[in-house]
Amino acid sequence: MSSLRGSLFTETFSFDGGRSVTAYVPPDPPEAVVYAADGGWHTERLAKALEASVERSSTMVVGVHGLEDDDGRLHEYVEGFGGERFEAFERFFVEEVRAWVASELDVGLTAERTAVWGASLGGELALAMGLRHPEIYGVVLCASPGGGFTPGDASLPSETPRTYLVGGTREQWFLDNASRWADALSEAGVDVVIEKRDGEHGGAFWYEEFPRMLTWVFGR
């Protein structure tokens, strides 16, 4: 049983024969919303990290579930591999899920109060969604991005979202990818921060960093 003060809700959509979305609704009215990749794995852990932190804010987390296999997720999360499959998932993530949040959870915030989060392959998706839809996601929160989507693949919009990157010191390849993105975004004049934490890929630092990310971008 969850020990959360807030609530978790899961809805199954018709996309791809049945795809779930799990939303964490904080106990107080949401002041910000974070759309997260791989919500089946991450939503509850992100919510617990948020509630355990003294830096917590009233933030809703909407976790869009991903496929179990890495190959399937690669094709949904990285345009260069997925093509039409990536585009279909993008429409689901950006349009259908947000419409459900607005209609069923009564939350529709400005881009400045809306972020997209992801780790590893999901981190690549977060970067792509932020760069492709800066009018929707004003913030990108990215942990340990993979190398399928690189700065050289990206066309930076005139209003590029603020970006917070984190990588582990025991996952050098992923930390290097995060650093490349930080350098490229900084050179383009984007408000960007990168943190290097002790940890290996998939480590606790992904979740421990989440409240710090929110404080950086949504802090009062």
Side-chain angles (χ1 to χ4, degrees), residues 10-203:
T10 298
E11 179 81 5
T12 300
F13 294 75
S14 61
F15 176 77
D16 193 38
R19 188 66 64 89
S20 295
V21 174
T22 298
Y24 162 71
V25 180
D28 299 317
E31 299 173 350
V33 59
V34 178
Y35 289 87
D38 295 318
W41 301 331
H42 298 312
T43 305
E44 185 170 1
R45 295 182 72 174
L46 291 171
K48 286 182 175 180
L50 184 60
E51 289 196 356
S53 173
V54 296
E55 302 173 87
R56 64 176 179 259
S57 62
S58 184
T59 300
M60 175 181 286
V61 180
V62 181
V64 183
H65 292 216
L67 296 173
E68 293 292 332
D69 63 293
D70 285 345
D71 186 65
R73 293 167 60 243
L74 180 69
H75 284 78
E76 289 191 341
Y77 293 1
V78 183
E79 182 182 19
F81 290 89
E84 292 183 358
R85 187 169 173 180
F86 168 85
E87 293 172 358
F89 185 79
E90 177 182 31
R91 288 192 295 272
F92 172 63
F93 191 100
V94 174
E95 298 174 10
E96 192 170 347
V97 173
R98 283 196 314 116
W100 173 75
V101 170
S103 63
E104 298 300 321
L105 302 180
D106 195 29
V107 173
L109 300 174
T110 64
E112 289 75 17
R113 307 298 298 180
T114 303
V116 57
W117 178 95
S120 194
L121 267 173
E124 296 184 58
L125 179 70
L127 286 162
M129 293 302 94
L131 294 178
R132 291 166 69 93
H133 304 282
E135 76 286 357
I136 295 172
Y137 310 107
V139 184
V140 173
L141 309 174
C142 179
S144 310
F149 180 52
T150 68
D153 301 323
S155 176
L156 298 184
S158 57
E159 295 294 330
T160 300
R162 301 173 66 194
T163 302
Y164 190 121
L165 296 134
V166 63
T169 56
R170 288 180 278 147
E171 51 155 15
Q172 192 62 49
W173 187 80
F174 294 94
L175 179 57
D176 288 345
N177 287 333
S179 297
R180 290 188 193 98
W181 273 105
D183 291 344
L185 292 170
S186 178
E187 289 173 6
V190 178
D191 186 5
V192 59
V193 64
I194 182 169
E195 296 290 351
K196 301 176 183 180
R197 304 298 185 191
D198 178 47
E200 58 188 7
H201 201 64

